[in-house]
Amino acid sequence: MSVSISQRKGWVITREAFDRMLAELHPDIERAGEQYEKIRQKLVKLFEWRGCPHAEECADETFNRVAQKISEGTSIWTNDPYSYFHGVALNVLREYWRSAEQTAKTLEEVAQIHGLSVDPEDLLLLEREQREKERLLECLNRCLQKLSPESLHLITRYHQGEESLAKARRKELAQSLGIPLNALRIRAYRIRAAIEECVKNCLERGPEG
Amino acid sequence: MKDKADNEKLLIRYLLGSLPEEQQMQVEGGFLGDDQSYERLLALENELFYDYAQNKLAPEEREQFEKRFLSSEQNRKRAMIVSALARKMSESASIETDERGIADRETQRFWQSLKSYFVAQGAATKVSLAALGILSFALIWLVIGVVRLRNEFNQFRAQRAVQADRLRQQAQQGRALADELSLKLEREAGQNAILRQELSKMHAQSRGQVENPPSVISLVLTSSIVRDQASGMKRLYLPQAARLLKLLLKLKGEVEYKSYQAILLTAEGAERWSQDMLQAQRTGSGRFIELWLQTKTLAPGDYELRLKGYASDGTLEETGDYYYLSIRRK
């Protein structure tokens, strides 16, 4: 049984409603599209960070509701669209949690009646996971080879050694690179994110790809 | 500075879901409207995955992390990738730490010997302050030099590790290629042996049956300038008794390859036959490649023969020689 976010009754997003929402975001259609993408990404992360396992669905529902408001003629924002989206997103989140609680209760009842047991397919899943781990290592090696020696050196030093000494070491590293600590953090993050993305892609298309 | 650290703690608590609602909303208001704050949160979230993988989180934080992030399949996969990457990084880091340890001990030893020298010469050092100044300057210069060298050395080590990895992989690929080629060679040798046997049988037969038409048909093919079947098509009428077809491909290209690969294609472009590791033979009238084909593999129709050459580094290249042949049955 899956948890779903209740959509507003009797209202389905139309092309016109969506376009009107975009026009509210920015008069230029291209800039509006960029804005939409940016807000959507942030909303997805917001839902994830709030512990919602259906973050994408919730983000889309947020947009649907905003689009509905606009098509109904409600004036929703002046300078700051973010706070409006934020408010709607929190409403969607609250509804999601209510629905999730309800589903959890139903599952508890089912478990009491039938005594849910471990799925026999779990064994197959474990085997699959093992294979995936092997592929993962293969992909990781490939991706690290694509990395420049400077980047490899940077992330290695960034994560090196004891946690208690991490701050001093990172400060020293930032100084040697002539950048503030925060910029070093972002730089290390971008390198790691690039490796992770490379590994993810490699896993999806197979190591030969 | 303290504010920054506090803010970082606050953001980490937000990510782990341990902030009160009001503060959560503040953090969200911040990153929704500001791209830099958003990227900072992404970086912190990413670091949390690494701290989790390297067991650097406090037990309570660890539990919060698992609850918050590991409930989705996508994040579990991400944690797996991060964990593998973290292991790799700590492997490279331990190599660097060992080397740095050696460099640090060397510097320490130098300091100690210098100190003991000055203790022994206590009175004299008080007098010769100027000399001390020069020595201090030299010492600072020396330490800076050591640090710079150490950094360069570390960088060099990292580069060398990557190069070693690359070389290892290239060697593995090379071995695999060599294995594949030797397998091919064995296969070709087997085929050649069969063909030779068949040939000698036919020679024996032909000696006894002179009146019969020849079992082996030979044909010299010259390559066409353009890759076009219409021009340069050689027509061959194969007698029923012919069992082997010997083709001599005249090489046109100036480039000499280590060995050659010949591929026979039907007019529709389907591969009918191929042979690898062929050697060019030099005669008075030029260079030739000799091919032996069993006629039973050749149905009547038009064919194209493509020739590729193995360069000295083992790569296979188009030689630019195309031969066209039309087979008919008598």
Side-chain angles (χ1 to χ4, degrees), chain A residues 37-51:
Chain A
E37 268 307 316
K38 198 193 282 181
I39 297 174
R40 191 178 179 279
Q41 271 178 18
K42 287 181 177 180
L43 286 178
V44 169
K45 288 313 280 186
L46 182 147
F47 283 111
E48 257 186 57
W49 290 333
R50 286 282 191 136

Side-chain angles (χ1 to χ4, degrees), chain A residues 62-143:
Chain A
T62 306
F63 275 109
N64 284 356
R65 290 189 189 185
V66 173
Q68 183 185 6
K69 283 278 176 198
I70 294 169
S71 71
E72 285 166 0
T74 315
S75 173
I76 54 161
W77 64 72
T78 48
N79 291 327
D80 182 14
Y82 297 106
S83 58
Y84 189 81
F85 275 101
H86 190 197
V88 177
L90 292 180
N91 284 338
V92 171
L93 190 71
R94 276 181 213 115
E95 280 177 37
Y96 173 81
W97 287 129
R98 270 201 294 278
S99 158
E101 250 173 53
Q102 199 59 42
T103 313
K105 275 183 195 161
T106 323
L107 274 174
E108 261 174 41
E109 285 157 19
V110 174
Q112 275 167 12
I113 298 164
H114 300 292
L116 291 176
S117 59
V118 179
D119 193 334
E121 282 189 9
D122 281 357
L123 280 175
L124 284 174
L125 274 175
L126 274 175
E127 270 179 38
R128 206 185 73 187
E129 272 175 20
Q130 186 57 37
R131 278 199 301 274
E132 273 179 3
K133 270 184 195 163
E134 283 161 15
R135 270 184 59 205
L136 168 67
L137 282 178
E138 209 177 318
C139 285
L140 182 61
N141 282 335
R142 273 164 193 263
C143 292

Side-chain angles (χ1 to χ4, degrees), chain B residues 52-170:
Chain B
Y52 175 78
Q54 293 174 312
N55 218 2
K56 286 178 179 174
L57 293 180
E60 195 190 349
E61 288 177 328
R62 202 173 167 78
E63 200 177 312
Q64 287 166 343
F65 177 88
E66 282 167 358
K67 203 168 145 192
R68 176 113 312 184
F69 290 103
L70 300 189
S71 59
S72 80
E73 171 70 27
Q74 201 186 349
N75 275 338
R76 279 197 295 275
K77 220 170 227 173
R78 188 176 165 195
M80 226 166 81
I81 295 173
V82 164
S83 160
L85 179 57
R87 252 200 316 277
K88 273 265 164 198
M89 286 192 304
S90 69
E91 280 166 17
S92 336
S94 67
I95 296 169
E96 277 199 12
T97 312
D98 288 349
E99 280 158 4
R100 181 167 301 162
I102 294 165
D104 285 347
R105 275 199 295 281
E106 286 301 317
T107 318
Q108 222 172 356
R109 207 174 293 158
F110 175 76
W111 271 103
Q112 269 169 357
S113 61
L114 201 72
K115 199 175 144 192
S116 55
Y117 170 79
F118 280 113
V119 168
Q121 302 290 318
T125 48
K126 278 177 196 162
V127 178
S128 53
L129 276 172
L132 179 65
I134 294 166
L135 264 173
S136 308
F137 176 76
L139 185 66
I140 291 165
W141 181 81
L142 195 67
V143 170
I144 291 169
V146 167
V147 170
R148 204 184 55 220
L149 276 173
R150 202 175 58 196
N151 284 343
E152 281 172 7
F153 180 62
N154 286 340
Q155 254 175 351
F156 168 73
R157 282 289 302 177
Q159 282 170 354
R160 210 181 57 178
V162 172
Q163 277 170 349
D165 263 3
R166 273 184 198 149
L167 282 173
R168 254 198 302 278
Q169 206 175 14
Q170 276 172 1

Side-chain angles (χ1 to χ4, degrees), chain B residues 268-302:
Chain B
E268 293 76 33
E271 189 178 316
R272 177 54 57 90
W273 172 91
S274 74
Q275 194 167 355
D276 223 335
M277 310 307 286
L278 296 161
Q279 296 296 322
Q281 294 167 17
R282 196 175 284 279
T283 66
S285 52
R287 291 186 303 126
F288 289 89
I289 295 281
E290 188 181 288
L291 302 179
W292 286 88
L293 287 98
Q294 284 182 295
T295 54
K296 66 183 175 192
T297 60
L298 298 168
D302 294 343

